[in-house]
Amino acid sequence: MKLNLIDLESLLRVQNLDGTLVSLKPLPTERLAETGVISLDEHLGGGLARGHLSEIVGHPSSGRMSLLCAILASATRRGEVVTLIDTFDTFDPVSGHAAGIDLSRLLWIRGRQRAPQSKSGWSVPQDIDRAIKASNLVSLAGRFGLVAVDLADAPAASIQRLSFTTWRRIARAIEGSETVGVVVGPITMGRSARGRSIILVDRDRAARWLGSSSRSRVFQGLEIGVRVESTRHPSRRLQLATDGFRCEIARTG
């Protein structure tokens, strides 16, 4: 049986799968949420899509938490209430406040704190499952401008065991709403049709210094390489300066 595009779209809508369709029309400005990082927003066409799931991917010290804090801060400056699901209880509210997050508008859901162990011995599927369930409950409750799930410290193997439907359920919970969904992790995980993958590239990182003399220079921050991927557009690269967004995480053990 042959189907044209209109028939296929109709069948997907009947099965409640129309959210998988990718329209070539740009989203209106009011359906986008600025990240607070100007150069990144320019490449995103104005910001992250509301009602869709995006992801931030990077290795430790790649700037992934700093970028997440910038996005949280931007949302609270707009007067929105946001949620951070802190899977391993690593968020530092003092640094978050310094980064511009209005903590009175932040719902901080804390997981269990764990000290890093060997890569082979650190398996935390239950903690990840709790974080995902929490994100679904919060998203379905509505009224949040941003719901972020921090899986940055999860082992890649624990994330890889999750099925694609895991991310589909998260995306489904915010579909059609004003909520921006963001998940942070060490590897690519999943995004919805209009979501973006913001991949922080370690090898493109370079130090930024103030002053010309090698003996009197002052460290100003890092230039972080970023690759932005989406279903609608080819991969694009840009450089972000860390002095534009800063946040730290608390470490234990």
Side-chain angles (χ1 to χ4, degrees):
M1 181 177 69
K2 294 183 179 180
L3 293 175
N4 58 33
L5 181 59
I6 296 177
D7 292 334
L8 178 59
E9 291 178 346
S10 298
L11 287 172
L12 288 173
R13 289 190 179 95
V14 169
Q15 297 297 322
N16 292 322
L17 294 174
D18 49 300
T20 61
L21 298 173
V22 181
S23 172
L24 296 179
K25 296 180 181 179
L27 283 175
T29 305
E30 62 269 19
R31 293 292 295 165
L32 297 172
E34 294 180 350
T35 66
V37 183
I38 296 174
S39 56
L40 179 58
D41 286 331
E42 290 175 351
H43 280 73
L44 293 173
L48 297 174
R50 295 187 184 276
H52 287 271
L53 177 67
S54 296
E55 60 181 352
I56 299 172
V57 181
H59 297 297
S61 301
S62 62
R64 57 196 180 183
M65 195 60 193
S66 295
L67 179 54
L68 177 60
C69 282
I71 295 172
L72 288 165
S74 181
T76 59
R77 282 196 297 270
R78 292 191 295 268
E80 299 175 10
V81 179
V82 300
T83 297
L84 172 61
I85 298 169
D86 186 11
T87 308
F88 303 110
D89 194 20
T90 57
F91 176 68
D92 177 17
V94 175
S95 295
H97 177 70
I101 300 174
D102 181 351
L103 298 179
S104 68
R105 294 185 174 274
L106 171 68
L107 172 61
W108 179 21
I109 300 177
R110 303 171 66 179
R112 294 186 299 176
Q113 197 172 81
R114 286 176 176 268
Q117 300 174 13
S118 65
K119 292 182 179 179
S120 59
W122 188 27
S123 177
V124 287
Q126 290 183 342
D127 293 333
I128 294 175
D129 288 344
R130 290 191 187 99
I132 291 171
K133 288 178 181 177
S135 72
N136 285 328
L137 289 172
V138 171
S139 298
L140 290 171
R143 301 184 181 276
F144 292 95
L146 172 72
V147 175
V149 184
D150 179 13
L151 297 176
D153 287 336
S158 294
I159 294 178
Q160 288 171 336
R161 75 175 181 83
L162 300 172
S163 67
F164 172 77
T165 56
T166 298
W167 315 113
R168 178 61 191 151
R169 285 195 299 272
I170 295 176
R172 194 69 178 173
I174 62 173
E175 190 174 25
S177 71
E178 294 298 309
T179 302
V180 175
V182 176
V183 60
V184 184
I187 58 173
T188 54
M189 295 157 286
R191 62 172 189 262
S192 54
R194 286 185 178 269
R196 302 295 182 94
S197 294
I198 303 172
I199 301 172
L200 307 178
V201 186
D202 288 351
R203 62 177 177 273
D204 288 351
R205 188 169 55 193
R208 299 172 59 247
W209 302 89
L210 177 64
S212 56
S213 171
S214 60
R215 295 184 177 182
S216 61
R217 291 188 301 170
V218 177
F219 180 69
Q220 293 291 291
L222 295 172
E223 290 284 348
I224 299 173
V226 176
R227 188 170 75 250
V228 178
E229 296 180 352
S230 72
T231 306
R232 299 173 62 243
H233 299 289
S235 173
R236 289 182 285 182
R237 283 177 176 263
L238 63 151
Q239 292 289 125
L240 301 181
T242 57
D243 55 359
F245 53 97
R246 275 193 189 137
C247 188
E248 297 177 357
I249 57 176
R251 296 288 183 183
T252 60

